[in-house]
Amino acid sequence: MSALVLDQLLFRWPRQAAPCLDIAHFEVAAGERVFLHGPSGSGKSTLLGLLGGVAVPERGRVALLGEDLVRLPNRARDAFRADHIGFVFQQFNLLPWLSALDNVLLPCTFSARRRARAGRPNEEAARLLTELDLAPELWSKPAALLSVGQQQRVAAARALIGRPEILIADEPTSALDAERQQVFIDLLLNEAAAVGATLLFVSHDIRLAAHFDRVVALAEINRAAVEIEP
């Protein structure tokens, strides 16, 4: 069974003649842990935006858990993302005025499914923040007052809470030191394994690839990248 399928996907930015993504087919099995890599500007974040339903392709199929996101109206795509996808964004996307704890709890606010799967959401949020080595005295601080590394850990806990079936991480360890980077990778892999979640981990840091079941270079699946090479 496939958790994620891209088929005949084409995406180009407005007023751009050439597409930035042209993918004939890409598939990730349920429970698989995939490391996707490519240099900055190669379209990694754009691809993740399509997988999260934040953007819509010019053509093609983007199917997650058997649901074609392209065919869903905007509100239904938002609801699907909230229910089924844990996203660690490269820019974190925390609400700066909310506390660290309240940011982690946001998925449980927007999704009854994630709230039910979390069990006791406050206790689960506290467990995740503790695992990620964020001191309890920081949990009540507004996200804007946290360091970049601390914000990244809050964003990771927010993605993991409620046991989503698909985890998508965009350069999630870029602001962490080596020790905390390893803690984060271990937690992400352990949480995914505990619930059989599919994990797509995107990074330019190829040193992290050894932790994953499969390694994919974006240039290998993106025909647009091949076409623009000299």
Side-chain angles (χ1 to χ4, degrees), residues 111-160:
S111 169
R113 177 183 176 85
R114 295 274 289 275
R115 185 168 60 250
R117 287 167 68 91
R120 297 179 177 177
N122 282 71
E123 293 181 11
E124 177 65 358
R127 180 186 73 83
L128 290 167
L129 289 172
T130 299
E131 291 277 358
L132 288 164
D133 194 29
L134 193 72
E137 57 266 26
L138 298 175
W139 299 356
S140 60
K141 279 194 173 186
L145 299 182
L146 300 177
S147 72
V148 172
Q150 290 165 349
Q151 289 182 35
Q152 195 157 39
R153 282 173 273 162
V154 172
R158 181 186 59 187
L160 290 167

Side-chain angles (χ1 to χ4, degrees), residues 100-200:
L101 184 63
D102 286 339
N103 266 288
V104 175
L105 291 168
L106 277 176
C108 298
T109 301
F110 294 123
S111 169
R113 177 183 176 85
R114 295 274 289 275
R115 185 168 60 250
R117 287 167 68 91
R120 297 179 177 177
N122 282 71
E123 293 181 11
E124 177 65 358
R127 180 186 73 83
L128 290 167
L129 289 172
T130 299
E131 291 277 358
L132 288 164
D133 194 29
L134 193 72
E137 57 266 26
L138 298 175
W139 299 356
S140 60
K141 279 194 173 186
L145 299 182
L146 300 177
S147 72
V148 172
Q150 290 165 349
Q151 289 182 35
Q152 195 157 39
R153 282 173 273 162
V154 172
R158 181 186 59 187
L160 290 167
I161 198 167
R163 300 188 168 199
E165 295 98 318
I166 296 175
L167 292 166
I168 297 176
D170 186 5
E171 299 283 4
T173 61
S174 59
L176 303 179
D177 59 37
E179 182 177 350
R180 286 184 172 134
Q181 185 181 82
Q182 187 60 54
V183 168
F184 172 83
I185 294 285
D186 290 343
L187 178 64
L188 192 64
L189 295 174
N190 289 339
E191 293 292 319
V195 296
T198 302
L199 173 59
L200 182 62

Side-chain angles (χ1 to χ4, degrees), residues 5-55:
V5 178
L6 302 176
D7 197 47
Q8 301 304 318
L9 178 76
L10 185 74
F11 180 88
R12 80 183 82 222
W13 291 105
R15 296 182 293 278
Q16 295 292 319
C20 68
L21 291 174
D22 183 1
I23 298 173
H25 190 79
F26 177 59
E27 195 164 332
V28 178
E32 191 176 12
R33 305 180 299 187
V34 174
F35 182 90
L36 180 69
H37 66 95
S40 297
S42 63
K44 301 189 304 294
S45 294
T46 301
L47 175 59
L48 296 192
L50 292 166
L51 292 172
V54 178

